Amino acid sequence: MNTIAVLGSANMDLVVRQARLPRPGETIFGAGFSTVPGGKGLNQAVAAARLGADVTFLGAVGADAYGTELRALLVSAGIRSTELATADAPTGTAHISVVDSGENSIVVVSGANATVTTLSVEQRAVVADSAFLVMQCELPTRVLAEGIALARAAGVFTVLTPAPVVPLPPGFLASVDLVVPNRGEAAELTGESEPVRAAEVLSAGGRWAIVTLGSEGSVVAFDGEALGLAPARPVTAVDTTAAGDTFVGALVTRLAVGYVRGTAVTPDQMIEAVRYATVASSIAVTRAGATTSMPTRGEVDAILA
């Protein structure tokens, strides 16, 4: 198994379950409340580790109770976090409303994540020694650009989840090997409302793009051409909070099996990885929470057997 470096956010998710979203100015009752470790970076790292990947996490938390809990989770998940910084800022939080249909709305307060503006010497060494660098847009784009440049120079395969959609420097997306947005993010990045066309635009220039469509599956494209629609696995969703992050963590985990660093990923490899990730994310949405919903390798393998 090749090493995966995740450069990303670590938050404590503050989750309220409710029948519906309130109207402006309205107060409603919720059905339940929980605190769950999250953040897109930490979620993807845990998803990959739970499926057997060799993962190192790079980011920052605060010197507070939430930061202590997130560090403990990384250790228990078998994720190396020696280069996880302690910032002079509170640990990031995500305020999540989950309605009865399983859909969610999220407001993120970046906290310590916003302090990650450059990589330390030790963090740069981790990136350069990895086979994959996995990123999201919950850290400042400056440090993401630094990570991408370092990875490209070292022959490291780069993966970006462009969420949330933020202003990106010219050429930023063109420097990424694989971009994995959802339908809305792909449309916002490309101006194309049709997911297949958006995937083709994002993949132009010799890159991979996978546009996730929830219960409709995902579109896979390479070098400006859509390879097809990967169908979803039908399930009854309880909470979709971690669906996308589980998909990415599982996708990279599968790509890392037998991957030769510095070589191109083949269509067969990518399609097999998408199939694996589809099953993993389908399991996650049947459970509540982010990291608490992510499946083990045994659970995914049992469905694929």
Side-chain angles (χ1 to χ4, degrees):
M1 177 70 74
N2 289 284
T3 301
I4 299 167
V6 178
L7 173 60
S9 57
N11 296 324
M12 184 60 73
D13 291 349
L14 311 179
V15 185
V16 175
R17 299 196 66 89
Q18 57 206 71
R20 59 175 177 83
L21 295 177
R23 294 184 293 272
E26 181 187 21
T27 299
I28 65 174
F29 286 104
F33 173 78
S34 59
T35 57
V36 182
K40 297 194 72 64
L42 185 142
N43 286 347
Q44 292 178 6
V46 171
R50 200 160 286 169
L51 294 166
D54 184 355
V55 183
T56 301
F57 186 74
L58 308 174
V61 294
D64 51 29
Y66 287 161
T68 299
E69 188 171 344
L70 296 182
R71 285 184 180 277
L73 171 70
L74 291 168
V75 171
S76 67
I79 298 169
R80 283 185 298 277
S81 56
T82 53
E83 303 310 326
L84 177 63
T86 299
D88 187 19
T91 298
T93 52
H95 304 256
I96 304 175
S97 296
V98 182
V99 299
D100 287 347
S101 67
E103 294 299 319
N104 64 81
S105 298
I106 305 173
V107 176
V108 174
V109 181
S110 295
N113 297 304
T115 70
V116 186
T117 57
T118 189
L119 296 172
S120 68
V121 172
E122 295 79 10
Q123 290 172 331
R124 289 175 65 86
V126 169
V127 172
D129 289 341
S130 298
F132 294 85
L133 175 62
V134 178
M135 300 158 291
Q136 319 76 35
C137 289
E138 290 184 340
L139 295 184
T141 55
R142 171 183 168 183
V143 74
L144 301 181
E146 181 184 353
I148 291 169
L150 176 60
R152 286 178 64 86
V156 177
F157 191 94
T158 53
V159 181
L160 176 72
T161 302
V165 175
V166 297
L168 298 172
F172 185 94
L173 286 177
S175 300
V176 177
D177 294 304
L178 167 62
V179 59
V180 190
N182 64 23
R183 184 200 307 262
E185 292 152 2
E188 191 170 350
L189 288 167
T190 65
E192 300 284 350
S193 60
E194 208 288 310
V196 172
R197 181 57 189 149
E200 291 174 337
V201 170
L202 288 168
S203 69
R207 293 181 301 281
W208 287 96
I210 300 172
V211 177
T212 59
L213 307 175
S215 61
E216 298 175 36
S218 58
V219 178
V220 183
F222 177 70
D223 197 18
E225 181 179 353
L227 302 185
L229 174 67
R233 175 174 173 260
V235 296
T236 299
V238 171
D239 184 351
T240 62
T241 301
D245 294 332
T246 301
F247 184 93
V248 172
L251 181 82
V252 179
T253 297
R254 191 62 177 177
L255 288 175
V257 177
Y259 176 74
V260 179
R261 177 174 154 153
T263 62
V265 172
T266 68
D268 285 347
Q269 288 173 315
M270 187 62 74
I271 290 168
E272 173 58 27
V274 169
R275 178 170 174 258
Y276 188 85
T278 298
V279 170
S281 61
S282 76
I283 297 171
V285 301
T286 65
R287 304 167 178 168
T291 53
T292 52
S293 71
M294 294 168 177
T296 63
R297 180 168 56 186
E299 290 176 304
V300 176
D301 288 348
I303 291 172
L304 289 171

